[in-house]
Amino acid sequence: LGNVLVTRREFAAAESAYTARILHDPAINVVTFQGLGSVLVDEGKFASADSMARAYGKVHGPTAEMAEVHVASLYARGAVDSAQALAEQWKTVADPVQRGTFLNVLAAFDERRGQLDNFMRIRAQGAAEARARGAFAPALADSMPVAFFDAWFRGQPDRAVRTLDAALAATPLRTLPVAVRPYAGVAQIYAMAGQPGRARAILAQMDAEVKDSALIESSAPDRHTALA
């Protein structure tokens, strides 16, 4: 329930749901505590998020999930260097899923600083590790940021379109599970690259193929950008 409420941005209700679940079963999986920490950060309750993560650590020892809470809290407070340093400490954690999470976090820091080559290098490392362990990591997900950077930062809209065209030819959207088809994200990049017609065509495809209201709602920001 907490996860659903977060997708609706009903953070106070989500906090209540996570808290009630934890009080009912204090031995519940760490992911529930992580969910509570994340929603506290979303609410701007940074001290509460950090306190909860520290309390969990005193009982269960250091965990990657609580480190993620601390990283999110530090970043949200503007302590970007501290957040990145903490993520660096966890990027070699043994669990491959958690390692991938911290690699993605570090890539995001580089992206926000305009260090696009570093972003792509770290992202590629994470994607390669994901595929090696059999995780779902479609090649389209690798091509989209490349096309986005070309369209938005590097002044190469034609190259962005070629990259996206080739990626969609290799991985048509309809071949992916509906819940992870990035219709709106693809449309947004086409629009940024000066191809509004292609953007509208992708959104029309989405309208025809996606009926889940939650998926439609979650894609609304990118859809709005694509149509702007």
Side-chain angles (χ1 to χ4, degrees):
L1 176 59
N3 293 340
V4 173
L5 291 168
V6 167
T7 64
R8 297 175 179 172
R9 303 189 65 79
E10 297 178 20
F11 299 131
E15 178 188 347
S16 296
Y18 284 127
T19 301
R21 188 71 181 91
I22 291 168
L23 290 175
H24 177 72
D25 181 10
I28 198 169
N29 189 286
V30 64
V31 173
T32 303
F33 286 87
Q34 182 183 15
L36 174 59
S38 296
V39 81
L40 288 170
V41 171
D42 288 334
E43 293 180 286
K45 298 179 179 179
F46 308 129
S48 296
D50 291 333
S51 177
M52 184 278 299
R54 283 194 298 269
Y56 187 92
K58 287 180 180 178
V59 176
H60 301 281
T63 66
E65 291 83 1
M66 292 302 100
E68 287 181 47
V69 172
H70 284 306
V71 168
S73 177
L74 287 166
Y75 181 81
R77 281 180 284 168
V80 178
D81 290 342
S82 296
Q84 185 167 3
L86 180 56
E88 286 279 359
Q89 294 174 23
W90 283 87
K91 72 178 182 181
T92 56
V93 63
D95 184 279
V97 176
Q98 294 170 340
R99 186 168 61 249
T101 296
F102 284 104
L103 286 172
N104 285 334
V105 168
L106 290 169
F109 283 129
D110 284 332
E111 180 184 21
R112 284 160 176 74
R113 286 174 165 151
Q115 297 172 346
L116 305 185
D117 290 338
N118 283 344
F119 168 84
M120 293 306 306
R121 176 181 56 78
I122 296 174
R123 184 181 176 91
Q125 179 185 347
E129 291 191 12
R131 294 189 186 99
R133 66 174 186 270
F136 180 74
L140 178 60
D142 296 334
S143 298
M144 287 179 63
V146 175
F148 172 77
F149 291 155
D150 280 344
W152 192 245
F153 293 111
R154 291 173 171 151
Q156 296 283 348
D158 293 342
R159 188 168 68 184
V161 171
R162 289 195 300 271
T163 297
L164 211 49
D165 286 348
L168 289 172
T171 310
L173 289 172
R174 62 174 55 89
T175 66
L176 300 173
V178 174
V180 296
R181 295 178 190 173
Y183 295 99
V186 169
Q188 180 185 38
I189 297 170
Y190 271 132
M192 289 177 174
Q195 296 291 329
R198 295 195 192 187
R200 288 192 294 271
I202 292 292
L203 294 177
Q205 182 182 347
M206 177 183 175
D207 291 340
E209 297 175 358
V210 179
K211 304 304 178 185
D212 187 311
S213 60
L215 294 177
I216 294 171
E217 182 178 348
S218 67
S219 68
D222 282 346
R223 184 187 184 101
H224 176 77
T225 302
L227 293 172

